[in-house]
Amino acid sequence: VKELCQLTHFDTTFLSRYPSELSGGQRQRVSLMRALMMDPDILLLDEPFAALDPMVRSQLQADLKVVFAKLKKTVVMVTHDLPEAAYFADTIVLMNNGAIVQTGNIDAFRQRPENEFVSSFIAAQRVLTSV
């Protein structure tokens, strides 16, 4: 547990607290530690940063990017946030109604959208269109 606390930057003095006594970022770190305890080959994260404020979200993203690289685990992350996907992913898979509509890196999505859905999805991500 102490090793996982170090890895996820979770203060060990918080281990005795109840979930309601932890911040959103701290609860996310505990969830990640619980998943990593099982030492899975693949880690599935479904919108892991969605409920966090921007500052906590940014710091936790940076921390987890280091953790994932260190552990050399395959991570499948579900997100509607394309900049977040671009930050983490080697390969992005965009789906619509359960079907894959495009795969590739962020440059391929911006420069060569496969169809109108991909173009609309990218346009909806204001950060990417203003860069």
Side-chain angles (χ1 to χ4, degrees):
V1 170
K2 287 181 182 181
E3 185 180 326
L4 287 170
C5 285
Q6 274 185 325
L7 186 67
T8 60
H9 301 290
F10 185 81
D11 189 333
T12 57
T13 62
F14 296 158
L15 289 173
S16 62
R17 293 186 182 184
Y18 289 100
S20 63
E21 298 173 320
L22 299 173
S23 70
Q26 291 165 338
R27 284 192 296 255
Q28 291 296 79
R29 291 171 196 274
V30 170
S31 294
L32 180 63
M33 287 190 298
R34 290 175 64 198
L36 291 173
M37 283 179 151
M38 303 303 292
D39 194 27
D41 293 329
I42 299 173
L43 197 59
L44 173 61
L45 304 176
D46 187 2
E47 298 280 356
F49 309 105
L52 303 176
D53 71 64
M55 295 295 290
V56 172
R57 181 181 184 135
S58 177
Q59 184 59 53
L60 190 55
Q61 287 171 335
D63 289 347
L64 290 185
K65 188 169 184 170
V66 172
V67 168
F68 298 153
K70 184 175 182 178
L71 294 177
K72 297 182 179 168
K73 296 277 184 190
T74 298
V75 179
V76 176
M77 184 182 301
V78 176
T79 182
H80 292 89
D81 186 325
L82 199 50
E84 182 174 85
Y87 178 71
F88 280 103
D90 295 323
T91 303
I92 299 170
V93 178
L94 183 62
M95 299 180 76
N96 184 25
N97 293 323
I100 295 172
V101 292
Q102 186 165 342
T103 62
N105 63 29
I106 193 62
D107 292 333
F109 278 74
R110 284 193 282 201
Q111 296 167 8
R112 295 176 304 285
E114 301 255 339
N115 58 36
E116 184 57 36
F117 176 80
V118 177
S119 296
S120 296
F121 192 85
I122 291 169
Q125 308 286 321
R126 292 187 181 119
V127 172
L128 290 177
T129 58
S130 64
V131 173

